[in-house]
Amino acid sequence: MNKIQVNFSIKDLENLTGIKAHTIRIWEKRYNLLSPERSETNIRNYNLSSFQKLLNISYLNNNGLKISKIASLKEDEIPIKVREIASRAKVEDHAINSLKMAMINFDQVLFYNTYKNLIETKTFSEIFYSVFLPFLNEIGLLWQTSTITPAHEHFLSVHIKQKVLLNIERLQSLEPKPDSKTCVLFLPDNEIHDIGLLFINYQLRSKGYHTIFLGESMPMDSLTDLHEFFDDITFISYFTVYPEVEKIPEYIDEFDATLLKKENTKLMLLGPKLAEVKDLKLPKNITTYDSIEKLVKEF
């Protein structure tokens, strides 16, 4: 594959690897581990190879190798040492580093091979919780700091979403449990980030629940139709970007008045936007969760 040429500032490397810029400078000066190009104003500029090398150095250092030992390795010995440790150490960290390289390079083959290696020893749920979810959270931070572009974020999100959809497809023919409640999964108006909600759908389907996935940007009044078909409904939604913080209490009150009139109808909410609301008062049939895992355990 022809590598896409990408240049990184020292701040980019700090955001991508978790290694402080001050530490990177020390490693350069003391151990000559990286050789950045410099601008006329003496600003460091790193290429893709430097980024990959620093990921490997970070991985080795986090797995107990002293930086002086890493510095003594030849250039081609570093990735070999990474593979050696990855075969017996925490595979998730190595997988996340591989996904970072796949994202930066828009490398579909590397994404596929990383996933293929993971699925040989882990269930899909384990991969999502231990690799995909932490990496999606990290992607959000990288995007906010302008370390990556929306194209990078979309590339990884689309590929992760494909894996979730593939695993949901395998469950579609399974009959729900007898007398199972109906779970209606939706995102509010203008919200389009549906990977977390899709994974909840997968988890509930795998537990035998009847789920209806409505997806992104659902007007509230459109949900009232569900009451004509089902008596026992649990609505589930995920607030990533919308509603806006100041509008969340109003949204919850309106939802309660419009859709939760029946005693056995509930709303479960989660997502980072909820954490921004202070002293959120909830009606009795509405519950919030700070993780997918906690919500799924309620079933």
Side-chain angles (χ1 to χ4, degrees):
M1 187 194 77
N2 293 324
K3 289 183 176 179
I4 298 170
Q5 295 300 312
V6 180
N7 293 319
F8 305 88
S9 68
I10 196 166
K11 190 64 178 178
D12 289 337
L13 290 189
E14 178 179 270
N15 291 332
L16 283 162
T17 66
I19 302 171
K20 297 294 184 183
H22 175 69
T23 302
I24 295 173
R25 293 188 189 97
I26 291 174
W27 287 359
E28 285 175 13
K29 186 175 181 180
R30 188 173 301 172
Y31 302 106
N32 198 31
L33 282 171
L34 298 174
S35 301
E37 296 181 1
R38 292 178 181 267
S39 68
E40 293 180 359
T41 54
N42 206 34
I43 295 175
R44 290 171 169 82
N45 196 331
Y46 301 83
N47 59 25
L48 192 62
S49 296
S50 294
F51 165 55
Q52 185 170 21
K53 184 178 181 180
L54 192 59
L55 276 179
N56 286 335
I57 291 169
S58 172
Y59 181 79
L60 294 176
N61 191 235
N62 289 337
N63 279 278
L65 265 71
K66 293 182 177 179
I67 195 65
S68 56
K69 172 66 176 177
I70 300 171
S72 69
L73 297 173
K74 295 178 181 178
E75 196 81 13
D76 58 354
E77 291 176 335
I78 292 177
I80 294 172
K81 194 68 175 176
V82 167
R83 288 193 293 270
E84 177 189 322
I85 291 178
S87 67
R88 63 177 190 270
K90 190 178 179 183
V91 69
E92 291 86 352
D93 291 342
H94 184 57
I96 288 174
N97 281 349
S98 294
L99 292 177
K100 285 180 184 177
M101 286 304 301
M103 175 183 67
I104 292 299
N105 276 317
F106 300 101
D107 189 340
Q108 299 179 67
V109 174
L110 180 55
F111 177 91
Y112 172 80
N113 287 334
T114 302
Y115 179 79
K116 181 181 176 184
N117 290 336
L118 287 168
I119 205 68
E120 289 176 357
T121 58
K122 293 179 175 293
T123 66
F124 176 69
S125 291
E126 288 171 340
I127 293 171
F128 191 91
Y129 281 127
S130 66
V131 178
F132 286 165
L133 199 54
F135 189 50
L136 284 168
N137 291 335
E138 192 169 342
I139 285 177
L141 293 173
L142 293 174
W143 183 81
Q144 289 173 26
T145 57
S146 300
T147 305
I148 60 173
T149 68
H152 291 113
E153 181 188 18
H154 285 206
F155 172 82
L156 248 297
S157 296
V158 164
H159 281 78
I160 291 174
K161 188 173 178 177
Q162 286 175 347
K163 296 304 179 188
V164 182
L165 289 170
L166 179 63
N167 281 275
I168 291 173
E169 178 70 20
R170 291 170 178 160
L171 300 172
Q172 290 301 320
S173 61
L174 299 179
E175 288 291 335
K177 293 189 296 187
D179 301 321
S180 172
K181 69 178 70 179
T182 296
C183 300
V184 176
L185 296 92
F186 73 98
L187 295 178
D189 273 333
N190 300 312
E191 180 61 77
I192 61 172
H193 297 80
D194 61 355
I195 291 179
L197 199 68
L198 277 168
F199 182 68
I200 294 170
N201 186 39
Y202 164 75
Q203 291 275 276
L204 298 183
R205 288 288 299 171
S206 66
K207 285 174 171 277
Y209 287 97
H210 177 225
T211 67
I212 298 173
F213 188 87
L214 299 179
E216 60 192 52
S217 199
M218 279 298 302
M220 192 184 299
D221 56 3
S222 296
L223 298 173
T224 58
D225 295 339
L226 276 298
H227 283 300
E228 297 181 16
F229 297 89
F230 308 102
D231 294 322
D232 188 355
I233 299 177
T234 296
F235 292 99
I236 301 173
S237 194
Y238 205 115
F239 295 177
T240 301
V241 177
Y242 291 98
E244 295 168 343
V245 174
E246 63 274 12
K247 294 182 179 180
I248 288 177
E250 178 186 340
Y251 183 93
I252 287 175
D253 288 342
E254 184 181 352
F255 197 99
D256 181 46
T258 306
L259 288 152
L260 302 183
K261 296 175 183 177
K262 294 183 179 179
E263 186 67 28
N264 56 351
T265 306
K266 300 177 182 178
L267 172 63
M268 294 180 162
L269 294 173
L270 74 167
K273 212 65 183 175
L274 290 167
E276 299 178 31
V277 184
K278 295 182 179 179
D279 302 320
L280 181 61
K281 295 180 180 179
L282 298 172
K284 64 176 182 178
N285 283 3
I286 300 179
T287 311
T288 60
Y289 301 85
D290 58 14
S291 73
I292 292 175
E293 201 163 8
K294 288 181 181 178
L295 184 148
V296 170
K297 283 181 180 178
E298 289 287 306
F299 290 85

Short mmCIF file of all heavy atoms in Angstrom, two decimals, residues 227-263:
data_model
loop_
_atom_site.label_atom_id
_atom_site.label_comp_id
_atom_site.label_asym_id
_atom_site.label_seq_id
_atom_site.Cartn_x
_atom_site.Cartn_y
_atom_site.Cartn_z
N HIS A 227 -46.89 2.81 20.81
CA HIS A 227 -47.85 2.42 21.84
C HIS A 227 -49.07 1.70 21.25
O HIS A 227 -49.77 0.98 21.97
CB HIS A 227 -48.31 3.65 22.62
CG HIS A 227 -47.31 4.13 23.61
ND1 HIS A 227 -46.84 3.35 24.65
CD2 HIS A 227 -46.67 5.31 23.72
CE1 HIS A 227 -45.97 4.03 25.36
NE2 HIS A 227 -45.83 5.23 24.82
N GLU A 228 -49.31 1.88 19.97
CA GLU A 228 -50.43 1.19 19.33
C GLU A 228 -50.12 -0.28 19.09
O GLU A 228 -51.04 -1.07 18.86
CB GLU A 228 -50.76 1.88 18.00
CG GLU A 228 -51.23 3.32 18.14
CD GLU A 228 -51.56 3.95 16.81
OE1 GLU A 228 -51.73 3.19 15.82
OE2 GLU A 228 -51.66 5.20 16.75
N PHE A 229 -48.84 -0.64 19.14
CA PHE A 229 -48.45 -2.02 18.83
C PHE A 229 -47.95 -2.79 20.04
O PHE A 229 -48.05 -4.02 20.08
CB PHE A 229 -47.34 -2.00 17.76
CG PHE A 229 -47.78 -1.43 16.45
CD1 PHE A 229 -47.68 -0.07 16.19
CD2 PHE A 229 -48.30 -2.24 15.46
CE1 PHE A 229 -48.08 0.46 14.97
CE2 PHE A 229 -48.70 -1.73 14.24
CZ PHE A 229 -48.59 -0.37 13.99
N PHE A 230 -47.39 -2.10 21.04
CA PHE A 230 -46.76 -2.78 22.17
C PHE A 230 -47.19 -2.14 23.49
O PHE A 230 -47.34 -0.92 23.59
CB PHE A 230 -45.23 -2.72 22.04
CG PHE A 230 -44.73 -3.19 20.71
CD1 PHE A 230 -44.34 -2.28 19.74
CD2 PHE A 230 -44.65 -4.55 20.41
CE1 PHE A 230 -43.88 -2.70 18.50
CE2 PHE A 230 -44.20 -4.99 19.18
CZ PHE A 230 -43.82 -4.06 18.22
N ASP A 231 -47.36 -2.98 24.50
CA ASP A 231 -47.79 -2.51 25.82
C ASP A 231 -46.63 -2.24 26.76
O ASP A 231 -46.64 -1.26 27.50
CB ASP A 231 -48.74 -3.53 26.46
CG ASP A 231 -50.04 -3.65 25.70
OD1 ASP A 231 -50.54 -2.62 25.21
OD2 ASP A 231 -50.55 -4.79 25.56
N ASP A 232 -45.64 -3.12 26.73
CA ASP A 232 -44.50 -3.04 27.66
C ASP A 232 -43.28 -2.55 26.90
O ASP A 232 -42.56 -3.35 26.28
CB ASP A 232 -44.25 -4.42 28.28
CG ASP A 232 -43.23 -4.38 29.40
OD1 ASP A 232 -42.63 -3.30 29.63
OD2 ASP A 232 -43.00 -5.42 30.03
N ILE A 233 -43.02 -1.25 26.93
CA ILE A 233 -41.94 -0.67 26.12
C ILE A 233 -40.87 -0.06 27.03
O ILE A 233 -41.18 0.68 27.96
CB ILE A 233 -42.46 0.42 25.16
CG1 ILE A 233 -43.49 -0.16 24.19
CG2 ILE A 233 -41.30 1.05 24.39
CD1 ILE A 233 -44.10 0.90 23.26
N THR A 234 -39.62 -0.38 26.71
CA THR A 234 -38.49 0.33 27.32
C THR A 234 -37.80 1.10 26.21
O THR A 234 -37.22 0.51 25.29
CB THR A 234 -37.50 -0.65 27.98
OG1 THR A 234 -38.16 -1.32 29.05
CG2 THR A 234 -36.29 0.10 28.53
N PHE A 235 -37.88 2.42 26.25
CA PHE A 235 -37.18 3.26 25.29
C PHE A 235 -35.73 3.42 25.75
O PHE A 235 -35.46 3.58 26.94
CB PHE A 235 -37.84 4.64 25.19
CG PHE A 235 -39.20 4.63 24.57
CD1 PHE A 235 -40.34 4.66 25.36
CD2 PHE A 235 -39.35 4.60 23.19
CE1 PHE A 235 -41.61 4.66 24.79
CE2 PHE A 235 -40.61 4.60 22.60
CZ PHE A 235 -41.75 4.63 23.41
N ILE A 236 -34.81 3.41 24.79
CA ILE A 236 -33.38 3.56 25.11
C ILE A 236 -32.79 4.58 24.14
O ILE A 236 -32.97 4.47 22.92
CB ILE A 236 -32.62 2.22 24.99
CG1 ILE A 236 -33.23 1.18 25.93
CG2 ILE A 236 -31.13 2.42 25.31
CD1 ILE A 236 -32.65 -0.22 25.75
N SER A 237 -32.07 5.56 24.69
CA SER A 237 -31.46 6.58 23.83
C SER A 237 -30.07 6.94 24.33
O SER A 237 -29.73 6.71 25.49
CB SER A 237 -32.33 7.83 23.77
OG SER A 237 -31.93 8.68 22.71
N TYR A 238 -29.29 7.52 23.42
CA TYR A 238 -27.87 7.80 23.69
C TYR A 238 -27.58 9.24 23.28
O TYR A 238 -27.68 9.60 22.12
CB TYR A 238 -27.02 6.83 22.86
CG TYR A 238 -25.64 6.54 23.38
CD1 TYR A 238 -25.30 5.26 23.81
CD2 TYR A 238 -24.65 7.52 23.42
CE1 TYR A 238 -24.02 4.97 24.28
CE2 TYR A 238 -23.38 7.25 23.88
CZ TYR A 238 -23.07 5.96 24.32
OH TYR A 238 -21.82 5.69 24.78
N PHE A 239 -27.24 10.09 24.28
CA PHE A 239 -26.98 11.51 24.01
C PHE A 239 -25.47 11.75 23.89
O PHE A 239 -24.78 11.83 24.89
CB PHE A 239 -27.53 12.39 25.14
CG PHE A 239 -29.03 12.37 25.30
CD1 PHE A 239 -29.63 13.08 26.33
CD2 PHE A 239 -29.83 11.66 24.43
CE1 PHE A 239 -31.01 13.08 26.48
CE2 PHE A 239 -31.22 11.65 24.57
CZ PHE A 239 -31.81 12.36 25.61
N THR A 240 -24.97 11.86 22.67
CA THR A 240 -23.55 12.13 22.45
C THR A 240 -23.30 13.61 22.22
O THR A 240 -22.43 14.22 22.84
CB THR A 240 -23.02 11.32 21.24
OG1 THR A 240 -23.23 9.92 21.49
CG2 THR A 240 -21.52 11.55 21.04
N VAL A 241 -24.05 14.21 21.32
CA VAL A 241 -23.90 15.63 20.99
C VAL A 241 -25.20 16.40 21.25
O VAL A 241 -25.18 17.55 21.70
CB VAL A 241 -23.46 15.81 19.53
CG1 VAL A 241 -23.37 17.28 19.16
CG2 VAL A 241 -22.12 15.13 19.29
N TYR A 242 -26.31 15.76 21.00
CA TYR A 242 -27.63 16.37 21.18
C TYR A 242 -28.47 15.52 22.12
O TYR A 242 -28.27 14.32 22.19
CB TYR A 242 -28.34 16.55 19.84
CG TYR A 242 -27.71 17.60 18.95
CD1 TYR A 242 -26.83 17.23 17.94
CD2 TYR A 242 -27.99 18.95 19.14
CE1 TYR A 242 -26.23 18.19 17.12
CE2 TYR A 242 -27.40 19.91 18.31
CZ TYR A 242 -26.53 19.52 17.32
OH TYR A 242 -25.96 20.47 16.52
N PRO A 243 -29.46 16.14 22.80
CA PRO A 243 -29.82 17.57 22.83
C PRO A 243 -28.72 18.40 23.49
O PRO A 243 -27.87 17.87 24.20
CB PRO A 243 -31.09 17.59 23.70
CG PRO A 243 -31.57 16.19 23.78
CD PRO A 243 -30.36 15.34 23.65
N GLU A 244 -28.75 19.69 23.24
CA GLU A 244 -27.80 20.59 23.89
C GLU A 244 -28.06 20.58 25.40
O GLU A 244 -29.18 20.37 25.85
CB GLU A 244 -27.95 22.00 23.32
CG GLU A 244 -27.55 22.07 21.84
CD GLU A 244 -27.95 23.37 21.19
OE1 GLU A 244 -28.81 24.07 21.77
OE2 GLU A 244 -27.42 23.67 20.11
N VAL A 245 -27.00 20.82 26.16
CA VAL A 245 -27.06 20.66 27.62
C VAL A 245 -28.24 21.37 28.24
O VAL A 245 -29.00 20.80 29.04
CB VAL A 245 -25.74 21.16 28.26
CG1 VAL A 245 -25.85 21.14 29.78
CG2 VAL A 245 -24.57 20.29 27.83
N GLU A 246 -28.46 22.63 27.88
CA GLU A 246 -29.52 23.42 28.51
C GLU A 246 -30.91 22.93 28.13
O GLU A 246 -31.90 23.26 28.79
CB GLU A 246 -29.37 24.90 28.16
CG GLU A 246 -29.50 25.24 26.68
CD GLU A 246 -28.19 25.10 25.91
OE1 GLU A 246 -27.23 24.53 26.45
OE2 GLU A 246 -28.15 25.58 24.76
N LYS A 247 -31.01 22.12 27.06
CA LYS A 247 -32.31 21.64 26.61
C LYS A 247 -32.64 20.22 27.10
O LYS A 247 -33.76 19.73 26.88
CB LYS A 247 -32.37 21.68 25.07
CG LYS A 247 -32.33 23.10 24.50
CD LYS A 247 -32.45 23.09 23.00
CE LYS A 247 -32.43 24.51 22.44
NZ LYS A 247 -32.53 24.53 20.96
N ILE A 248 -31.68 19.56 27.74
CA ILE A 248 -31.90 18.18 28.19
C ILE A 248 -33.03 18.08 29.23
O ILE A 248 -33.90 17.21 29.09
CB ILE A 248 -30.59 17.56 28.71
CG1 ILE A 248 -29.65 17.28 27.52
CG2 ILE A 248 -30.86 16.25 29.48
CD1 ILE A 248 -28.30 16.73 27.91
N PRO A 249 -33.06 18.92 30.28
CA PRO A 249 -34.18 18.81 31.24
C PRO A 249 -35.54 18.97 30.56
O PRO A 249 -36.49 18.24 30.87
CB PRO A 249 -33.89 19.94 32.22
CG PRO A 249 -32.41 20.14 32.15
CD PRO A 249 -32.07 19.92 30.71
N GLU A 250 -35.63 19.91 29.63
CA GLU A 250 -36.89 20.14 28.90
C GLU A 250 -37.25 18.91 28.07
O GLU A 250 -38.42 18.50 28.02
CB GLU A 250 -36.73 21.37 28.00
CG GLU A 250 -37.95 21.68 27.15
CD GLU A 250 -37.70 22.82 26.16
OE1 GLU A 250 -36.74 23.59 26.37
OE2 GLU A 250 -38.46 22.91 25.18
N TYR A 251 -36.25 18.32 27.41
CA TYR A 251 -36.49 17.12 26.59
C TYR A 251 -37.02 15.98 27.46
O TYR A 251 -37.98 15.29 27.10
CB TYR A 251 -35.19 16.70 25.90
CG TYR A 251 -35.36 15.50 24.98
CD1 TYR A 251 -35.63 15.67 23.63
CD2 TYR A 251 -35.25 14.21 25.47
CE1 TYR A 251 -35.79 14.57 22.78
CE2 TYR A 251 -35.41 13.11 24.64
CZ TYR A 251 -35.68 13.30 23.30
OH TYR A 251 -35.86 12.20 22.47
N ILE A 252 -36.40 15.78 28.61
CA ILE A 252 -36.80 14.70 29.51
C ILE A 252 -38.23 14.91 30.03
O ILE A 252 -39.04 13.97 30.06
CB ILE A 252 -35.80 14.58 30.68
CG1 ILE A 252 -34.49 13.97 30.15
CG2 ILE A 252 -36.37 13.74 31.82
CD1 ILE A 252 -33.38 13.91 31.17
N ASP A 253 -38.57 16.13 30.41
CA ASP A 253 -39.92 16.41 30.90
C ASP A 253 -40.96 16.18 29.80
O ASP A 253 -42.04 15.62 30.06
CB ASP A 253 -40.00 17.86 31.40
CG ASP A 253 -39.26 18.08 32.70
OD1 ASP A 253 -38.97 17.06 33.40
OD2 ASP A 253 -38.93 19.24 33.02
N GLU A 254 -40.63 16.61 28.60
CA GLU A 254 -41.56 16.42 27.48
C GLU A 254 -41.74 14.94 27.16
O GLU A 254 -42.84 14.48 26.87
CB GLU A 254 -41.06 17.18 26.24
CG GLU A 254 -42.03 17.12 25.06
CD GLU A 254 -41.53 17.85 23.83
OE1 GLU A 254 -40.48 18.54 23.92
OE2 GLU A 254 -42.17 17.73 22.77
N PHE A 255 -40.62 14.19 27.19
CA PHE A 255 -40.69 12.75 26.91
C PHE A 255 -41.57 12.05 27.95
O PHE A 255 -42.39 11.20 27.62
CB PHE A 255 -39.28 12.15 26.92
CG PHE A 255 -39.20 10.80 26.25
CD1 PHE A 255 -38.75 10.69 24.95
CD2 PHE A 255 -39.59 9.64 26.92
CE1 PHE A 255 -38.68 9.46 24.31
CE2 PHE A 255 -39.53 8.41 26.30
CZ PHE A 255 -39.08 8.31 24.99
N ASP A 256 -41.38 12.44 29.20
CA ASP A 256 -42.17 11.85 30.29
C ASP A 256 -43.66 12.11 30.08
O ASP A 256 -44.49 11.20 30.21
CB ASP A 256 -41.70 12.43 31.62
CG ASP A 256 -42.44 11.84 32.81
OD1 ASP A 256 -42.60 10.60 32.85
OD2 ASP A 256 -42.86 12.62 33.68
N ALA A 257 -44.00 13.33 29.73
CA ALA A 257 -45.40 13.70 29.56
C ALA A 257 -46.02 13.07 28.31
O ALA A 257 -47.21 12.74 28.29
CB ALA A 257 -45.53 15.22 29.48
N THR A 258 -45.19 12.87 27.27
CA THR A 258 -45.70 12.40 25.98
C THR A 258 -45.73 10.88 25.87
O THR A 258 -46.68 10.31 25.32
CB THR A 258 -44.85 12.97 24.83
OG1 THR A 258 -44.79 14.39 24.94
CG2 THR A 258 -45.42 12.58 23.47
N LEU A 259 -44.71 10.22 26.41
CA LEU A 259 -44.54 8.79 26.10
C LEU A 259 -44.53 7.86 27.31
O LEU A 259 -44.53 6.64 27.15
CB LEU A 259 -43.23 8.61 25.32
CG LEU A 259 -43.29 9.13 23.88
CD1 LEU A 259 -41.91 9.55 23.40
CD2 LEU A 259 -43.86 8.07 22.96
N LEU A 260 -44.47 8.40 28.51
CA LEU A 260 -44.35 7.53 29.68
C LEU A 260 -45.59 7.57 30.57
O LEU A 260 -45.50 7.45 31.79
CB LEU A 260 -43.10 7.93 30.49
CG LEU A 260 -41.78 7.88 29.74
CD1 LEU A 260 -40.63 8.22 30.68
CD2 LEU A 260 -41.54 6.53 29.08
N LYS A 261 -46.74 7.71 29.97
CA LYS A 261 -47.97 7.77 30.74
C LYS A 261 -48.32 6.42 31.35
O LYS A 261 -48.89 6.34 32.43
CB LYS A 261 -49.12 8.27 29.86
CG LYS A 261 -48.94 9.70 29.36
CD LYS A 261 -50.03 10.09 28.38
CE LYS A 261 -49.79 11.49 27.83
NZ LYS A 261 -50.82 11.86 26.82
N LYS A 262 -47.98 5.33 30.63
CA LYS A 262 -48.26 3.99 31.14
C LYS A 262 -47.22 3.61 32.19
O LYS A 262 -46.03 3.88 32.03
CB LYS A 262 -48.25 2.98 30.00
CG LYS A 262 -49.37 3.18 28.99
CD LYS A 262 -49.33 2.10 27.92
CE LYS A 262 -50.47 2.26 26.92
NZ LYS A 262 -50.42 1.21 25.86
N GLU A 263 -47.66 2.92 33.22
CA GLU A 263 -46.80 2.56 34.35
C GLU A 263 -45.63 1.69 33.93
O GLU A 263 -44.53 1.80 34.45
CB GLU A 263 -47.63 1.83 35.41
CG GLU A 263 -46.88 1.53 36.69
CD GLU A 263 -46.51 2.79 37.46
OE1 GLU A 263 -47.24 3.79 37.33
OE2 GLU A 263 -45.51 2.76 38.19
#
